[in-house]
């Protein structure tokens, strides 16, 4: 690289550092940190047809933390009549063997949901373990949408009514020392009204941010977004919410989610929501598939200028092989195969490697 190119790269990218060794200058790349919010136990499992036993959900959350995940959406305190799959969240977060420095977030649609969490936290605080064990959760996610039609289907209110109900919930949660994250659904397309006005996304995201959400996650709920649409939407939202406070939440219905992740990162977003094994969908968006698979994100970011942040259990990142195994394990519990592309390929490779080790023959490899 020419010196002038190097200088311009240093000016334009915060990830290159200039080192001096024995009088010679050379550039070291410092990777750009990317946070993953693992939403499989909530966004993933809420859309599964069968009811998953509590034990399996507890195992899933524990396995994810042991793979290095530091942000895990563990469940939701919503009406069991609306989303029966999420019943038992209080028991689940109480039973998980929690690791320090891991945020176990829960989705909360209203005051009643927050009350549900607070009673679990109170029970923990009055238990003998209170001082030695991290609390069951330290974070709520509140959610609304960029169209009234979707807000109506998901929350039985308009956008304006939902925001009015969520503001005091956020305030109370913040007063109790909880972190509050916000979601805007249908930021690209709405299953009921089609193309979404990005100015509306911006407006709703701004309201959530002003309510005290430390981060606002922008959901392509339908999974119809293309990279150019994601770019356009982000440019609009960035006018009112600092980009480092935005997260990308991309469903993979049309196979564009990984490309959308890269687009979001290139536009300055530093947090991506993903779902182990590509679990999930949305109960109010028929035909939409799950979130981008965590395995696919981890695989695609390898060797890039980005580095996924994780705990010591994933050696400072999130362990791709462990996530791949968890994706297969939970998919098996659901009676199907993992739908993560990287997860499937890595598993096939692992099986072939094991066969080769057994019989000494050369097997075609991916
Ligand atoms: C918000 C409500 C409750 C309004 O629903 P409603 O029917 O208007 O509420 P209500 O106040 O009339 O109450 C109806 C019943 O629900 C109970 N109830 C009321 N609130 C709660 C609560 N928190 N927990 C437990 N129970 C609750 C309440 O007590 C009552 O029980 P009943 O008297 O009939 O026995 C309902 O619409 C609801 O639960 N919606 C949740 C929908 C949901 O969870 N959707 C999926 C999550 S969002 C998502 O996936 C998108 C996202 C975030 O991933 C991003 C993206 O991809 O776009």
């Amino acid at each position: 690289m020419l010196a002038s190119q190097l200088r311009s790269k240093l000016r334009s990218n915060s990830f290159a550092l200039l080192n001096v060794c024995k009088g010679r200058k050379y550039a070291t790349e410092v990777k750009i940190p990317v946070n993953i919010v693992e939403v499989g136990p909530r966004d993933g499992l809420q859309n599964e047809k069968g009811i998953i036993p509590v034990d399996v959900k507890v195992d899933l959350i524990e396995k994810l933390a042991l793979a290095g995940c530091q942000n895990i959406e563990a469940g939701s305190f919503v009406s069991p009549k609306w989303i029966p799959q999420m019943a038992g969240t209080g028991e689940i977060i109480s039973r998980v063997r929690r690791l320090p420095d891991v945020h176990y977030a829960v989705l909360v649609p209203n005051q009643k949901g927050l009350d549900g969490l607070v009673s679990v936290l109170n029970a923990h605080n009055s238990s003998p373990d209170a001082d030695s064990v991290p609390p069951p959760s330290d974070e709520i996610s509140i959610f609304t949408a960029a169209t009234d039609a979707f807000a109506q289907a998901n929350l039985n209110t308009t956008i304006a009514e939902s925001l009015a109900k969520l503001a005091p919930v956020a305030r109370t949660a913040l007063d109790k020392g909880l972190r509050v994250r916000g979601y805007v659904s249908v930021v690209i397309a709405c299953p009921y009204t089609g193309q979404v006005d990005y100015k509306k996304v911006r407006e709703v995201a701004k309201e959530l941010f002003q309510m005290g959400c430390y981060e606002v996650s922008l959901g392509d709920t339908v999974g119809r977004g293309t990279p150019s649409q994601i770019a356009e939407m982000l440019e609009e939202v960035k006018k009112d919410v600092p980009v480092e406070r935005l997260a990308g939440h991309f469903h993979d219905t049309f196979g564009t989610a990984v490309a959308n992740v890269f687009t979001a990162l290139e536009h300055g977003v530093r947090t991506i929501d993903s779902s182990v094994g590509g679990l999930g969908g949305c109960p109010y968006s028929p035909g939409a598939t799950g979130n981008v698979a965590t395995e696919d994100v981890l695989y695609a970011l390898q060797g890039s200028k980005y580095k996924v942040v994780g705990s010591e259990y994933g050696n400072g990142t999130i362990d791709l092989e462990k996530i791949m195994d968890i994706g297969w394990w939970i998919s098996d519990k659901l009676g199907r195969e993992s739908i993560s592309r990287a997860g499937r390929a890595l598993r096939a490779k692992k099986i072939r490697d094991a066969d080769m080790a057994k019989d000494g023959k050369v097997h075609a490899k991916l």
Side-chain angles (χ1 to χ4, degrees):
M1 186 183 286
L2 293 173
S4 59
Q5 285 173 324
L6 179 60
R7 268 195 304 276
S8 109
K9 191 170 178 186
L10 286 172
R11 266 197 304 273
S12 61
N13 296 298
S14 59
F15 60 88
L17 285 184
L18 201 62
N19 287 332
V20 179
C21 178
K22 293 185 183 162
R24 294 185 62 192
K25 287 181 182 166
Y26 64 96
T28 306
E29 276 204 342
V30 177
K31 304 247 178 186
I32 300 172
V34 172
N35 296 304
I36 297 286
V37 176
E38 171 56 60
V39 295
R42 194 281 301 170
D43 202 359
L45 296 186
Q46 77 180 8
N47 203 40
E48 294 298 334
K49 290 191 177 55
I51 302 291
I52 316 293
V54 164
D55 284 354
V56 173
K57 291 182 179 173
V58 169
D59 270 6
L60 173 62
I61 296 164
E62 290 178 353
K63 283 175 190 288
L64 290 166
L66 290 171
C69 296
Q70 289 183 301
N71 303 285
I72 303 173
E73 220 173 55
S76 55
F77 285 89
V78 296
S79 165
K81 286 186 188 150
W82 285 59
I83 310 283
Q85 295 89 333
M86 288 291 104
T89 290
E91 183 188 347
I92 291 161
I93 57 173
S94 304
R95 280 187 38 196
V96 163
R97 274 167 298 176
R98 296 171 304 271
L99 300 180
D101 303 325
V102 176
H103 300 287
Y104 301 91
V106 290
L107 203 72
V108 156
N110 54 14
Q111 186 58 46
K112 181 156 184 160
L114 180 58
D115 293 345
L117 172 62
V118 169
S119 67
V120 170
L121 296 179
N122 288 342
H124 167 80
N125 289 338
S126 54
S127 77
D129 293 339
D131 292 332
S132 55
V133 176
S137 174
D138 66 349
E139 176 169 331
I140 63 163
S141 307
I142 55 178
F143 56 104
T144 183
T147 67
D148 279 323
F150 195 83
Q152 207 70 57
N154 202 23
L155 286 160
N156 203 20
T157 57
T158 62
I159 301 170
E161 286 162 356
S162 72
L163 290 168
K165 281 187 197 164
L166 291 173
V169 174
R171 221 172 17 251
T172 310
L174 290 168
D175 288 347
K176 290 187 178 298
L178 296 167
R179 309 201 312 166
V180 181
R181 191 171 195 250
Y183 275 107
V184 187
S185 285
V186 294
V187 299
I188 303 292
C190 171
Y192 307 103
T193 56
Q195 180 62 44
V196 166
D197 178 0
Y198 303 148
K199 288 198 174 58
K200 192 68 195 173
V201 180
R202 170 182 163 192
E203 197 183 293
V204 177
K206 182 182 173 189
E207 291 236 20
L208 289 171
F209 183 59
Q210 287 179 338
M211 261 178 219
C213 292
Y214 75 90
E215 188 169 271
V216 179
S217 176
L218 302 171
D220 177 16
T221 315
V222 183
R224 204 193 284 170
T226 60
S228 67
Q229 289 175 313
I230 298 297
E232 200 186 326
M233 180 274 296
L234 283 172
E235 286 311 308
E236 185 61 35
V237 179
K238 276 161 72 172
K239 291 176 188 165
D240 274 330
V241 184
V243 69
E244 61 276 12
R245 303 299 195 92
L246 295 173
H249 181 105
F250 307 123
H251 287 254
D252 203 17
T253 318
F254 284 79
T256 50
V258 170
N260 292 342
V261 165
F262 271 89
T263 303
L265 295 177
E266 289 299 299
H267 281 76
V269 169
R270 293 290 171 260
T271 302
I272 298 296
D273 300 352
S274 64
S275 184
V276 63
L279 295 177
C282 176
Y284 303 104
S285 181
T289 62
N291 289 99
V292 64
T294 308
E295 298 89 314
D296 295 0
V297 176
L298 296 176
Y299 184 81
L301 289 178
Q302 288 183 128
S304 73
K305 64 186 180 191
Y306 302 105
K307 180 179 190 290
V308 170
V309 177
S311 72
E312 63 192 276
Y313 294 98
N315 291 320
T317 183
I318 298 177
D319 187 308
L320 173 56
E321 182 159 354
K322 286 184 188 167
I323 291 290
M324 181 269 290
D325 285 336
I326 299 167
W328 276 94
W329 171 82
I330 187 66
S331 301
D332 186 50
K333 299 282 177 204
L334 294 164
R336 56 173 166 75
E337 298 193 334
S338 168
I339 59 161
S340 157
R341 299 291 291 264
R344 295 173 77 91
L346 288 168
R347 159 99 148 200
K349 181 177 178 307
K350 196 172 172 179
I351 292 169
R352 281 180 205 149
D353 286 350
D355 287 347
M356 263 171 59
K358 239 189 281 162
D359 63 18
K361 290 187 194 145
V362 176
H363 293 252
K365 271 207 278 190
L366 283 170

